[in-house]
Amino acid sequence: MSEKKTCLVAGGAGFIGSHMVRRLLKDGYKVICVDNLCTGSKDNIKDLMDNPDFKFLEHDIKEKLAIDGPVDYIFNLASRASPIDFSKFPLDILITNSRGTHNLLNIAKEKGARFLEASTSEVYGDPKEHPQKETYWGNVNPRGERSCYDESKRFSEALCMAFYNKFGVDVRIARIFNTYGPNMRKDDGRVVPNFITQALEGKPLTIYGDGKQTRSFCFVEDEVDGLLKLMFKEGISGDVFNIGNPGEFTMLELAEKVKEITGNSSELVFKDLPEDDPEKRRPDITKAKEVLGWEPKVLLDEGLRKTIEYFKDLKS
Ligand code: NAD
Ligand code: UDP
């Protein structure tokens, strides 16, 4: 029997990461989860701690990391991702996505590992092209409140390409669009956990701006499936793919869905729109469909139902 391959998942105790590490263990990989728990939680992985194929390292990727033994695949999911953190932790975000990504790319180079970077639809900024294709270069304000995240993710893409071009490291870049599901934090600040928590607590749902801005929401199991297809596909080194669900909804539509599924008659309360909040966002996933044979399967209503069940079961 061949030896199991080893995956290093940075950010593996976070929302997407905790689903990723479970799926990798189920698929027969060994997993090293590296996380500093700044937004992640041991609760997300506590059932895996006794698994002999799973190892947890509490470590900040801003600092260099030495790993014993082979590493075959590195998933870099380590970064704060909620807009409420952009004004609170700008330097942490900038350095994590630059020096942190650099530290992990050096491990990939040293170990001969394949590398997947979790980039973001935020590299498109407030897009002038709609829907967004991978060929679009984006419309990002380099000095605004979101710039610590948007620009450092753009820099992380540039770093990946430099390691690919200069050292031949096998890199793949995923531009992840708004993803939601179980294991998001109640107080994460992103729109889906906010609306669900508010509805379940009978509080008004907070709509920023007029609520007509759009987003495209991907259920986490679909997202993880897309990221794995991207990592394990042969012959696409150095390439970039949008991984998201093209269904597009206004925040008013999302609020109505959450109210309907929770059976809650919460009011809507309108708050200021954050600076540089993108007006619309929808991935063009033609490339992922054609090259990776991937497309999302879970409709928003179904994914919201599963997420609402998770939040109902959470002990506050
Ligand atoms: P999350 O906050 O739940 O997960 C991030 C994880 O990274 C957490 O466990 C956190 O503790 C860890 N982390 C952060 N900085 C670290 C550091 N310096 N060292 C070690 N660990 C660190 O967020 P998520 O939604 O699961 O996001 C995962 C990745 O996907 C992020 O890179 C994010 O930018 C990207 N992404 C997510 C979305 C989305 O909609 N969820 C969209 C686009 C991109
Ligand atoms: N939003 C909202 N109410 C909230 C939280 C967010 O109306 O309580 C809006 C936000 O202004 C944005 C959209 O929902 O237009 C998605 O926000 P999120 O923070 O989830 O992610 P983003 O796509 O902005 O990174």
Side-chain angles (χ1 to χ4, degrees):
M1 210 181 78
S2 64
E3 189 54 23
K4 285 185 174 183
K5 300 274 189 199
T6 300
C7 300
L8 187 159
V9 182
F15 157 52
I16 300 178
S18 60
H19 291 270
M20 172 68 77
V21 297
R22 261 183 198 75
R23 173 73 192 272
L24 288 168
L25 289 167
K26 189 165 152 266
D27 290 354
Y29 293 91
K30 289 186 176 180
V31 173
I32 303 169
C33 171
V34 176
D35 202 300
N36 69 352
L37 303 176
C38 65
T39 57
S41 164
K42 277 192 183 164
D43 281 348
N44 286 338
I45 49 167
K46 61 174 184 267
D47 55 315
L48 308 176
M49 291 299 192
D50 293 333
N51 186 328
D53 287 335
F54 181 77
K55 189 165 152 191
F56 175 68
L57 296 179
E58 188 168 339
H59 178 87
D60 189 323
I61 62 159
K62 298 197 294 301
E63 308 300 329
K64 280 201 176 123
L65 172 64
I67 301 282
D68 290 334
V71 177
D72 302 287
Y73 301 97
I74 298 177
F75 293 85
N76 182 18
L77 302 168
S79 168
R80 295 174 189 270
S82 174
I84 57 164
D85 282 345
F86 298 169
S87 54
K88 290 191 208 151
F89 305 102
L91 287 164
D92 179 65
I93 292 169
L94 280 159
I95 307 301
T96 293
N97 284 314
S98 50
R99 192 191 302 148
T101 303
H102 188 221
N103 286 335
L104 295 175
L105 279 162
N106 271 325
I107 297 176
K109 181 174 163 235
E110 176 202 332
K111 304 275 183 185
R114 192 178 278 183
F115 190 93
L116 183 144
E117 174 67 5
S119 184
T120 167
S121 51
E122 291 286 331
V123 301
Y124 300 124
D126 191 6
K128 302 274 186 221
E129 179 180 303
H130 193 72
Q132 294 80 54
K133 287 195 197 75
E134 292 86 349
T135 45
Y136 179 50
W137 289 355
N139 176 41
V140 171
N141 173 0
R143 299 181 64 253
E145 222 170 64
R146 301 175 84 95
S147 67
C148 60
Y149 185 71
D150 300 11
E151 294 291 14
S152 64
K153 287 287 188 180
R154 290 171 69 95
F155 182 82
S156 76
E157 291 197 13
L159 262 181
C160 288
M161 293 315 294
F163 269 70
Y164 168 68
N165 288 316
K166 193 93 183 130
F167 306 121
V169 174
D170 184 343
V171 299
R172 287 102 202 278
I173 297 164
R175 293 193 180 139
I176 300 174
F177 284 64
N178 298 63
T179 298
Y180 70 99
N183 295 1
M184 288 188 104
R185 289 172 298 150
K186 242 179 105 171
D187 57 355
D188 178 278
R190 283 178 277 185
V191 69
V192 172
N194 269 12
F195 283 179
I196 292 178
T197 306
Q198 290 160 348
L200 292 178
E201 292 176 354
K203 293 182 179 154
L205 271 54
T206 51
I207 306 278
Y208 300 164
D210 62 8
K212 290 185 183 145
Q213 70 272 34
T214 66
R215 293 292 185 274
S216 301
F217 296 100
C218 187
F219 189 59
V220 65
E221 282 169 16
D222 279 336
E223 185 65 44
V224 166
D225 195 50
L227 296 176
L228 292 180
K229 289 226 161 68
L230 174 53
M231 178 61 110
F232 296 122
K233 176 85 182 170
E234 297 303 323
I236 53 162
S237 185
D239 214 341
V240 57
F241 289 81
N242 288 335
I243 305 288
N245 189 320
E248 185 181 0
F249 299 89
T250 66
M251 295 312 101
L252 290 172
E253 287 168 333
L254 178 70
E256 286 312 318
K257 280 186 185 293
V258 171
K259 282 171 63 173
E260 193 188 307
I261 299 169
T262 55
N264 183 292
S265 56
S266 287
E267 307 265 290
L268 303 182
V269 51
F270 290 83
K271 306 249 183 187
D272 288 345
L273 188 69
E275 186 190 31
D276 297 330
D277 197 285
E279 194 187 317
K280 49 189 182 300
R281 181 182 291 157
R282 170 154 61 102
D284 181 321
I285 58 162
T286 310
K287 191 170 166 186
K289 274 191 200 165
E290 288 178 3
V291 179
L292 307 177
W294 173 83
E295 63 182 309
K297 297 190 179 73
V298 181
L299 295 175
L300 183 56
D301 287 67
E302 187 191 341
L304 283 177
R305 254 183 226 110
K306 291 182 179 173
T307 311
I308 288 166
E309 282 314 306
Y310 168 79
F311 277 95
K312 275 188 186 164
D313 290 345
L314 260 192
K315 291 186 198 77
S316 49

